[in-house]
Amino acid sequence: MILFILCFVLFLIGLYGVVTKRNLIKIIISIAIMEYSINLFFILIGYIKGATAPIINDEVQAAVFVDPLPQAMILTAIVIGLATTALLLAIAIRLYRKYGTFDIRKINSLKG
Amino acid sequence: MEVYLLILLVLMILGSLYSLHARDLLSAVISYGIVGFGLVLSFLFLQAPDLAIVQVVVEVITLIIMIAVIKNTSREELPRQTNYKIAINFIIILIFAVVFFYIFNRMTGMLSEFGDHFTRMATPYIEGSGKTGSANLVTGIVFDFRAYDTLGEATVLFTAVIGVLTILRIKGRKKEE
C-alpha cells in the first residue's frame, strides 16, 4: 500500500507543478510526471508476487504470469504520452517565438 | 524486491521535486530524466520488460526534444513569485491534495494489496495465447486481441505528428507584418 501512496504523491507533485508554476516548460514537465505516475500505478496494480514476465518459455514452465493486460494498455499510453509531450513542446516553441517568454501570465496579457 | 521499488520511488519523487524547483531549465529537464529512468528500472523490477524497452526509447527522445527546445529558446527560470502568491498557491494545492486523496482512498479501497493481484480479465488472453502464436503475451494482446486499440493509438500518433508539423511550419502573425 505504501507504494500506491508514493505513486500518488508523485502524481500530486505533478499536479502541484501544473497549478503553481508559471513557466511553460515546467508545466509540460509536470504533465509528463503525472503521466508517468499513472503508468507506474497501473503496472503496480497488475504485479503479482513471485510471478514472472508474461513471456511463454517452453523450458521453464512458469506457474503464474504478472497481469499482461495493464502492460498492454500502458504500452499504448507511453507512446501516446510521447506524442502529446511533443505537441505541447511544439506549441511552447511557437509561443516563445511570438512573445519571447515562457511566462504564461505575460502570454495571457498579450492577447490579440 | 519491494525495498528496491521504495528506494526508486523516493528517488523519483526527489528528482521531480528538484526539477520543479530548479533555477535552470536545463537542470530541470535533466532531473526530469531521473523520473523517467527510475520508471524504466521500476518496470524491470515489476516484470514488464517490454514496457522498460519502450520507456527507455521514449524517455531519451523526450529528453532530446526538451533539450533542443531549451537550446533554441531560453534556459532561465522566471523570477520568484511574491510571498502572497506563494501562499495562495499553497492553499490551492492543499485543497487539491485533500480532494484527490479522498478520491484515491475510495478508489484503492476495492483493490487488493500490492502483490496480491488476481488476474481476472486477462485469463482468457493467457489461455488463448496458443491462438495468436505469440510467445510474448503483451504483444499478443496489443497486436491481436486488442488490435483496434493499437489502430486508435496509431491514429493519435498520426494526428500528433500532423499537429507538430502544422504548428512548427506556419508563420506567426508577427512575421507576416
Side-chain angles (χ1 to χ4, degrees):
Chain A
M1 208 61 197
I2 182 82
L3 285 172
F4 290 170
I5 291 173
L6 279 180
C7 206
F8 180 67
V9 168
L10 198 62
F11 179 86
L12 277 185
I13 290 171
L15 190 74
Y16 160 77
V18 171
V19 173
T20 61
K21 289 293 161 186
R22 286 186 299 162
N23 195 316
L24 268 177
I25 298 289
K26 291 255 172 108
I27 292 176
I28 293 168
I29 288 177
S30 322
I31 291 173
I33 287 173
M34 281 162 84
E35 177 206 317
Y36 282 176
S37 77
I38 297 292
N39 290 352
L40 184 57
F41 188 66
F42 266 67
I43 302 302
L44 281 177
I45 290 176
Y47 182 72
I48 300 170
K49 261 200 189 98
T52 55
I55 295 169
I56 295 168
N57 192 341
D58 286 337
E59 289 161 17
V60 187
Q61 201 51 256
V64 266
F65 294 128
V66 295
D67 200 339
L69 191 58
Q71 294 195 13
M73 305 267 97
I74 295 305
L75 199 67
T76 311
I78 288 175
V79 180
I80 289 178
L82 173 67
T84 49
T85 311
L87 193 58
L88 282 170
L89 283 167
I91 293 171
I93 288 185
R94 290 298 301 180
L95 284 172
Y96 188 85
R97 278 192 204 151
K98 189 157 167 61
Y99 295 117
T101 175
F102 275 136
D103 192 340
I104 50 169
R105 287 175 199 194
K106 278 185 191 150
I107 290 169
N108 207 19
S109 63
L110 283 173
K111 246 180 231 164
Chain B
M1 175 51 227
E2 211 169 317
V3 181
Y4 296 135
L5 273 175
L6 264 177
I7 295 170
L8 269 175
L9 259 168
V10 170
L11 247 174
M12 283 162 72
I13 287 172
L14 290 180
S16 59
L17 275 179
Y18 183 73
S19 89
L20 287 186
H21 284 281
R23 302 306 301 160
D24 186 356
L25 283 185
L26 194 60
S27 52
V29 169
I30 297 298
S31 49
Y32 159 72
I34 295 175
V35 185
F37 287 113
L39 195 63
V40 173
L41 287 178
S42 337
F43 282 160
L44 277 181
F45 281 126
L46 289 167
Q47 305 286 347
D50 313 84
L51 287 181
I53 295 166
V54 173
Q55 182 67 35
V56 167
V57 176
V58 163
E59 185 59 30
V60 170
I61 293 175
T62 315
L63 282 184
I64 288 173
I65 296 175
M66 281 190 176
I67 291 174
V69 168
I70 287 169
K71 270 278 165 204
N72 285 322
T73 53
S74 96
R75 52 185 277 194
E76 276 162 37
E77 166 69 316
L78 307 164
R80 272 184 207 283
Q81 288 162 301
T82 51
N83 285 333
Y84 157 71
K85 278 183 180 157
I86 289 176
I88 289 185
N89 283 341
F90 189 74
I91 293 167
I92 290 172
I93 195 64
L94 211 64
I95 293 169
F96 263 112
V98 169
V99 170
F100 272 71
F101 194 77
Y102 174 71
I103 295 168
F104 173 81
N105 226 355
R106 288 202 56 175
M107 185 187 77
T108 52
M110 315 178 271
L111 291 176
S112 45
E113 284 284 308
F114 173 70
D116 291 342
H117 178 69
F118 173 67
T119 312
R120 284 178 287 261
M121 186 75 189
T123 314
Y125 295 148
I126 295 174
E127 283 164 359
S129 58
K131 290 179 198 157
T132 60
S134 144
N136 189 337
L137 291 176
V138 176
T139 48
I141 290 175
V142 168
F143 289 114
D144 219 307
F145 292 112
R146 289 182 174 255
Y148 281 119
D149 280 4
T150 313
L151 186 66
E153 176 206 349
T155 317
V156 172
L157 266 182
F158 182 72
T159 317
V161 170
I162 295 282
V164 170
L165 286 179
T166 317
I167 288 169
L168 288 183
R169 199 190 54 190
I170 50 165
K171 285 182 178 168
R173 205 178 281 172
K174 206 173 174 183
K175 283 182 183 170
E176 282 172 13
E177 285 161 5

